Amino acid sequence: MSSTEGLVKVLFFGAIREAVGVGEVAVEIPADRSLRTAVAMVMQEYGVKLTQYHRESYVVALNKQICKNDALLEANDEIAIFPPVTGG
Amino acid sequence: MSSTEGLVKVLFFGAIREAVGVGEVAVEIPADRSLRTAVAMVMQEYGVKLTQYHRESYVVALNKQICKNDALLEANDEIAIFPPVTGG
Amino acid sequence: MSLVRIQTEPIAFIEEWTEFLRRIEGKGGAVVSFSGIVREFNQDSKVEELYLEHYPEMTEQSIHQIIDKAHEKWELLDTLVIHRVGLIKSREQIVVVLVGAEHRAEAFSACEFIIDFLKTDTILWKKEIHHDGSSWIESLDTDYQRSKHWE
Amino acid sequence: MSLVRIQTEPIAFIEEWTEFLRRIEGKGGAVVSFSGIVREFNQDSKVEELYLEHYPEMTEQSIHQIIDKAHEKWELLDTLVIHRVGLIKSREQIVVVLVGAEHRAEAFSACEFIIDFLKTDTILWKKEIHHDGSSWIESLDTDYQRSKHWE
């Protein structure tokens, strides 16, 4: 498998968006196609200090569903990385 | 002691008022001046069948306060006799 | 702060709510309202109207006592109870409770507490009027159980 | 029935409440409303505005999921959640929850359940704007405890 599998969209929200400095980036699907690897690469690249976040540090959604990190990615998937929510 | 101690007002409400047929009567303070005696006399006189009422059957208030039957009456007191309440 | 109103006129919820919100604005984080509405059907029998009998002064007093207890139990900014008496058509509001507090937990608890005790401790008697007669409502064991659970 | 609305405009509580009541009239015995209001002060620091960031579609979905759970747990006639996003001035309503049910216990429980989970499960992020800066709000342990107690 290679990185020619395609691109996925990564969205940031809230304090993480501010820390990263942009709201959206496109990244290549990693060789193992795993969401976990993709998120780890993104977080490393954008230098977000996860330790600054409260509780579970950050939440990951895939295609607008909160999900486990072991999901497999497909081209054009939409990943979102955000801090614990504070609505209501 | 005699019945010349004065009169008290007795008010009826709700289903008891309907059963009695009037909303208000004046009665003489009984010889023992007790609320219990006055209420018993009134209930007997107006023939209200207490057993038709649910739960504690009826509630007695003296001068707009729910009270025990052993209170002592004074002239111009206001007694109220009514079924369990159903507000809200 | 607290306000109790017994009235024969329909409850102007909108005006009451607006005025209530104006009073607590800035301080309050939470406003909870309860509206009790006369159902058109009670156990399959059509209700034309309710008639609520009250005992002037004592009815108001009994509501104030409930509200005072709520203010003792919880940190509240403001409370309002409006209860209709007399004839009330089905679909109309029979009672409205508004509670404002800094935090939602207090507002919810106090609002529910107040309506629970309005059912068991307010000096009022309810009669259902059907097209072919009328009947006094009996107090419900379930209401007494709900009041007891606050003790 | 249920309705979710995410909007940047101020919440027209009065119109929403009136329309809600019209929809359940005759069936409903109880309507409970919750309004969350932006407090002017949070721990002694003056709040000029709140900024609420949302994730279009996912925010709505997350609210629908909460409402669906409430409808599974309780017998409800209708529910409405309106949540503001974007900039919200202090003293304005940030969220409104309306629940209609035949009986009050269900309406109270469902309304409180919904706002408890709006705090912990809705995809929204809140930032407080002060005259000299701004800060993202951290989620509260107490909110998570409140959500957990429904399980």
Side-chain angles (χ1 to χ4, degrees), chain A residues 1-81:
Chain A
M1 282 205 244
S2 74
S3 64
T4 58
E5 291 211 30
L7 295 173
V8 294
K9 194 157 71 168
V10 181
L11 307 179
F12 305 108
F13 291 97
I16 291 184
R17 175 185 56 71
E18 269 193 356
V20 170
V22 292
E24 182 178 336
V25 294
V27 300
E28 284 184 356
I29 296 178
D32 67 357
R33 292 179 54 223
S34 97
L35 174 60
R36 179 186 287 108
T37 310
V39 169
M41 287 165 59
V42 167
M43 295 307 266
Q44 195 171 20
E45 183 171 349
Y46 290 92
V48 176
K49 291 183 199 73
L50 296 181
T51 49
Q52 76 181 283
Y53 297 109
H54 190 52
R55 210 180 313 272
E56 313 97 319
S57 308
Y58 65 95
V59 181
V60 174
L62 179 59
N63 298 324
K64 302 192 171 89
Q65 300 289 335
I66 306 273
C67 73
K68 304 272 185 208
N69 270 333
D70 55 5
L72 293 183
L73 298 173
E74 313 223 348
N76 303 315
D77 275 353
E78 180 175 296
I79 299 171
I81 304 176

Side-chain angles (χ1 to χ4, degrees), chain D:
Chain D
M1 290 207 295
S2 68
L3 197 63
V4 171
R5 200 147 58 238
I6 302 294
Q7 62 184 47
T8 51
E9 308 78 47
I11 296 174
F13 180 90
I14 287 169
E15 287 76 7
E16 302 287 359
W17 186 90
T18 306
E19 173 62 19
F20 189 86
L21 200 72
R22 202 193 52 72
R23 284 209 300 273
I24 65 152
E25 254 179 6
K27 286 172 296 198
V31 174
V32 171
S33 82
F34 171 81
S35 296
I37 296 154
V38 181
R39 276 189 291 269
E40 230 173 324
F41 290 90
N42 189 6
Q43 292 159 345
D44 293 330
S45 130
K46 192 164 196 288
V47 178
E48 305 286 338
E49 282 183 311
L50 277 188
Y51 171 70
L52 251 96
E53 188 161 319
H54 78 301
Y55 182 178
E57 283 181 62
M58 191 167 176
T59 304
E60 287 88 334
Q61 274 176 30
S62 64
I63 298 178
H64 275 295
Q65 281 164 11
I66 296 167
I67 290 182
D68 289 349
K69 273 185 213 157
H71 278 265
E72 278 164 31
K73 276 177 95 81
W74 296 283
E75 194 74 38
L76 307 175
L77 292 167
D78 204 351
T79 48
L80 169 65
V81 171
I82 309 171
H83 211 303
R84 282 190 72 185
V85 293
L87 284 171
I88 308 164
K89 290 195 181 64
S90 75
R91 296 171 173 244
E92 289 184 344
Q93 292 174 81
I94 182 171
V95 60
V96 164
V97 181
L98 295 180
V99 177
E102 273 199 57
H103 301 286
R104 72 187 186 281
E106 285 78 3
F108 272 109
S109 295
C111 190
E112 199 168 1
F113 174 92
I114 290 170
I115 180 65
D116 280 352
F117 281 94
L118 284 173
K119 294 273 176 188
T120 56
D121 288 33
T122 311
I123 307 300
L124 284 168
W125 303 275
K126 211 178 267 173
K127 192 183 197 175
E128 261 180 20
I129 299 172
H130 307 271
H131 75 281
D132 58 352
S134 65
S135 55
W136 292 97
I137 302 290
E138 300 227 322
S139 57
L140 295 174
D141 281 332
T142 49
D143 283 332
Y144 281 89
Q145 283 154 18
R146 285 183 63 85
S147 284
K148 281 223 180 74
H149 103 270
W150 291 104
E151 280 162 16

Side-chain angles (χ1 to χ4, degrees), chain B residues 5-36:
Chain B
E5 291 211 32
L7 294 174
V8 293
K9 193 156 72 168
V10 182
L11 307 179
F12 306 107
F13 292 97
I16 291 183
R17 177 185 54 72
E18 270 194 357
V20 169
V22 292
E24 181 180 335
V25 294
V27 300
E28 284 185 358
I29 296 178
D32 67 358
R33 291 180 53 225
S34 97
L35 175 60
R36 177 185 287 108

Side-chain angles (χ1 to χ4, degrees), chain C residues 12-117:
Chain C
F13 180 90
I14 287 170
E15 287 76 9
E16 302 286 358
W17 187 90
T18 305
E19 172 62 17
F20 189 85
L21 200 73
R22 200 193 53 71
R23 283 208 301 270
I24 66 152
E25 254 179 7
K27 286 171 296 194
V31 175
V32 171
S33 81
F34 171 80
S35 297
I37 296 156
V38 180
R39 274 190 292 272
E40 231 175 322
F41 289 89
N42 188 6
Q43 293 159 344
D44 294 331
S45 129
K46 192 162 193 291
V47 178
E48 306 286 338
E49 283 183 310
L50 277 188
Y51 171 70
L52 251 96
E53 188 161 320
H54 78 301
Y55 182 178
E57 284 181 61
M58 191 168 178
T59 303
E60 286 88 332
Q61 273 177 31
S62 63
I63 298 178
H64 275 296
Q65 281 164 9
I66 296 167
I67 291 181
D68 290 349
K69 275 186 211 156
H71 278 265
E72 278 165 31
K73 276 176 94 83
W74 296 284
E75 194 74 38
L76 307 176
L77 292 167
D78 203 351
T79 47
L80 169 66
V81 171
I82 309 171
H83 211 303
R84 282 190 71 185
V85 294
L87 283 171
I88 308 163
K89 290 194 180 63
S90 75
R91 296 172 173 246
E92 289 184 343
Q93 291 174 82
I94 181 171
V95 61
V96 164
V97 182
L98 294 179
V99 178
E102 274 200 57
H103 301 287
R104 71 187 186 281
E106 285 78 2
F108 271 111
S109 295
C111 190
E112 198 166 1
F113 174 92
I114 290 170
I115 180 67
D116 281 352
F117 280 94

